Amino acid sequence: MCEIEALIFDVDGTLADTERDGHRVAFNRAFADAGLDWEWDVALYGKLLAVTGGKERIKYYLREFNTVFEPPADLDGFVADLHAAKTEHYKALMAEGRVPLRPGVERLLREAREAGISLAIATTTTMDNVTSLLENTLGAESVGWFAEIGAGDIVPAKKPAPDIYVWVLERLGLAPERVIAFEDSGHGVTSAADAGIARIVVTTNDYTLGQDFSRASLVLDQLGEPGTPPRRADGEPLPGPVNLALLETL
């Protein structure tokens, strides 16, 4: 097995459970500000997560769940404004400390840094959302921990397309055999795998349980901490938390 040279992380649902109590709440606040009576409850938002990207998610909602709404002539501009307002609300929620990192994330990030392994991000969320989460959980300097951050509309096709992972790999100058990807969703696994990454670790959440992770190397409920090891999909606990020694065996 090739030596690990980089760990590439998805953000929403992987670094933190941002979807339900972060993005969903921010969307609803932006809708209210715009005088819209839209309310994305927990169940509906789970359905909307079938589409990646915030602007794409709004359009999907209008196309599939709110067909009575008469969109303005400039739909793209309307959606972009809503999404920009949503991003500001999301940043405010992060500043309030509403969404912590998932168990084991900070520990593994620090272990990789100490070992000289590069860190990177491959996500469909905006750069503002990424930096807001990092700065409000790990400190202002933490953005600099990541050698590359692929986010938002930096590539034309979002996950499950492989574009964002291809972009990050090219920027890192690494072959896919040299990295491990961390994801939480079936779309994310497809994106990483189609970019040629074979070693993929999934940490599931309430929205992604039951999705297709057949192309992942390891599927767990979390990365774990000392004394609280993660569990596999069948409920079997690992001997300890996910660390570099374990990752090297994938």
Side-chain angles (χ1 to χ4, degrees):
M1 183 60 67
C2 292
E3 179 183 356
I4 302 169
E5 294 191 41
L7 306 182
I8 306 178
F9 290 85
D10 171 54
V11 174
D12 294 320
T14 302
L15 290 183
D17 282 325
T18 54
E19 295 290 10
R20 187 187 68 181
D21 298 326
H23 290 294
R24 184 185 67 86
V25 173
F27 272 118
N28 285 334
R29 291 182 179 180
F31 300 154
D33 286 350
L36 300 167
D37 62 355
W38 307 349
E39 177 72 23
W40 290 0
D41 62 23
V42 172
L44 173 58
Y45 196 68
K47 297 175 182 177
L48 295 174
L49 287 174
V51 171
T52 58
K55 293 187 290 291
E56 292 81 0
R57 197 165 294 147
I58 294 171
K59 291 180 180 179
Y60 177 60
Y61 167 71
L62 294 176
R63 189 168 63 248
E64 300 293 333
F65 298 94
N66 190 358
T67 56
V68 299
F69 178 74
E70 294 187 10
D74 182 13
L75 177 60
D76 287 345
F78 170 74
V79 169
D81 288 345
L82 276 179
H83 190 257
K86 172 259 175 183
T87 296
E88 293 306 309
H89 281 295
Y90 179 84
K91 288 161 63 177
L93 289 169
M94 294 302 103
E96 295 168 10
R98 293 277 294 269
V99 184
L101 296 178
R102 295 190 66 182
V105 168
E106 180 173 357
R107 174 187 52 75
L108 184 58
L109 292 175
R110 292 187 181 278
E111 183 181 355
R113 278 170 50 77
E114 291 172 4
I117 294 173
S118 295
L119 299 172
I121 283 174
T123 181
T124 60
T125 199
T126 66
M127 182 66 78
D128 275 351
N129 288 343
V130 174
T131 57
S132 181
L133 174 66
L134 294 177
E135 290 173 352
N136 287 289
T137 55
L138 295 169
E141 75 286 351
S142 62
V143 176
W145 295 6
F146 294 85
E148 296 295 340
I149 298 179
D153 297 325
I154 202 165
V155 292
K158 292 183 169 65
K159 299 176 185 178
D163 301 38
I164 193 64
Y165 274 103
V166 170
W167 186 91
V168 170
L169 288 169
E170 289 177 347
R171 299 279 292 190
L172 290 172
L174 293 175
E177 295 81 13
R178 296 287 185 180
V179 311
I180 295 181
F182 293 81
E183 282 285 351
D184 73 305
S185 70
H187 281 335
V189 170
T190 298
S191 177
D194 284 355
I197 300 173
R199 293 183 286 181
I200 304 171
V201 176
V202 171
T203 49
T204 60
N205 57 60
D206 289 345
Y207 279 132
T208 64
L209 281 171
Q211 293 184 4
D212 180 9
F213 300 126
S214 58
R215 300 173 75 184
S217 306
L218 186 61
V219 181
L220 304 168
D221 63 342
Q222 57 172 298
L223 295 177
E225 297 283 10
T228 56
R231 293 182 177 273
R232 298 180 184 271
D234 61 4
E236 184 70 20
L238 295 186
V242 174
N243 54 26
L244 294 180
L246 172 65
L247 295 176
E248 288 169 355
T249 68
L250 298 180

